[in-house]
Amino acid sequence: QKEVEQDPGPLSVPEGAIVSLNCTYSNSAFQYFMWYRQYSRKGPELLMYTYSSGNKEDGRFTAQVDKSSKYISLFIRDSQPSDSATYLCAKAHNAGGTSYGKLTFGQGTILTVHP
Amino acid sequence: DGGITQSPKYLFRKEGQNVTLSCEQNLNHDAMYWYRQDPGQGLRLIYYSQIVNDFQKGDIAEGYSVSREKKESFPLTVTSAQKNPTAFYLCASSIEGLAREQFFGPGTRLTVL
């Protein structure tokens, strides 16, 4: 079983829709969870990260972690065509507030927001 | 402007040749990373380095080599031992202890003919 699983989609929504992107993870150690956005033929950029549980909001984006179900989600409100990209979830091991070593990525979900 | 540069953007090589991909950062980050991205597989870690003159293997290090002689530079060599080298290669860096906040370069697309 992969440490982080993500539905690759593709996902197509109309402009203005609420988008829900999801990942599951298999390791229960205390961890940080990240969401990256990657436009075609570009490097990923960090959108936001959360600790093992709870929500974090940044503008139209909300990241959520459900420890009981080992589920991490990214919600995009009022989606725009400029949100069309591949969204990658990732986790990093937490050691006393720091995080070392590798990130483990999901496969990425391709999102298209059409006008 | 601070950031990470990778060169070249596109690279073509014949099978059996070694090739070196460049990665430079001016963010003053101690940690640097190399990932490989294939369609439908997300990013997989090849090597990472937390400090100059030290580096560790990632999940798919076979067929690759790295060096870290300077803080700002972390070149990756794809050797002829790598069985399937055609891929998109991404370099990243972070402050040591903050691997959760990695900054990525624009990537190099390597095609082996």
Side-chain angles (χ1 to χ4, degrees):
Chain A
Q1 183 184 12
K2 290 186 178 180
E3 287 189 62
V4 181
E5 297 265 13
Q6 185 174 9
D7 184 345
L11 183 62
S12 181
V13 301
E15 184 175 355
I18 296 174
V19 176
S20 173
L21 302 165
N22 305 293
C23 292
T24 58
Y25 65 94
S26 60
N27 188 325
S28 297
F30 291 110
Q31 295 173 114
Y32 286 97
F33 297 95
M34 286 70 66
W35 284 97
Y36 281 82
R37 177 176 62 196
Q38 184 178 24
Y39 291 114
S40 182
R41 303 180 190 276
K42 304 287 186 185
E45 58 178 313
L46 178 66
L47 283 175
M48 55 202 309
Y49 68 87
T50 57
Y51 187 51
S52 288
S53 63
N55 296 353
K56 189 171 186 178
E57 187 174 321
D58 184 2
R60 297 184 294 111
F61 298 87
T62 299
Q64 191 174 78
V65 179
D66 184 338
K67 279 180 67 177
S68 61
S69 60
K70 297 184 181 178
Y71 217 69
I72 52 178
S73 302
L74 179 70
F75 299 97
I76 307 174
R77 293 185 299 279
D78 187 24
S79 57
Q80 304 294 311
S82 59
D83 295 327
S84 298
T86 296
Y87 289 81
L88 298 152
C89 61
K91 70 177 183 72
H93 182 69
N94 172 44
T98 59
S99 50
Y100 289 94
K102 69 175 185 180
L103 299 183
T104 302
F105 283 85
Q107 300 94 313
T109 299
I110 300 170
L111 171 68
T112 301
V113 181
H114 51 87
Chain B
D1 287 334
I4 301 177
T5 56
Q6 291 185 244
S7 60
K9 189 171 182 178
Y10 298 96
L11 190 55
F12 296 88
R13 279 294 182 268
K14 292 183 179 178
E15 193 171 339
Q17 289 182 332
N18 291 356
V19 60
T20 298
L21 281 58
S22 168
C23 177
E24 303 276 333
Q25 54 98 0
N26 61 4
L27 299 168
N28 200 32
H29 286 169
D30 288 302
M32 297 187 74
Y33 314 82
W34 273 105
Y35 293 90
R36 170 183 172 139
Q37 187 173 30
D38 296 283
Q41 294 199 45
L43 277 67
R44 293 180 290 168
L45 183 70
I46 305 171
Y47 271 97
Y48 67 101
S49 168
Q50 293 179 332
I51 197 168
V52 173
N53 292 324
D54 188 42
F55 46 83
Q56 288 79 41
K57 292 182 178 179
D59 297 321
I60 55 166
E62 185 175 350
Y64 300 98
S65 65
V66 293
S67 63
R68 187 85 188 277
E69 296 177 2
K70 298 187 296 182
K71 185 176 182 177
E72 57 271 20
S73 179
F74 192 39
L76 173 75
T77 297
V78 184
T79 75
S80 56
Q82 168 51 231
K83 297 188 187 319
N84 186 18
T86 295
F88 190 44
Y89 290 88
L90 288 157
C91 179
S93 70
S94 73
I95 295 171
E96 187 189 2
L98 288 178
R100 62 182 182 264
E101 296 183 45
Q102 291 183 22
F103 293 82
F104 283 83
T108 293
R109 187 166 299 276
L110 172 65
T111 302
V112 176
L113 306 171

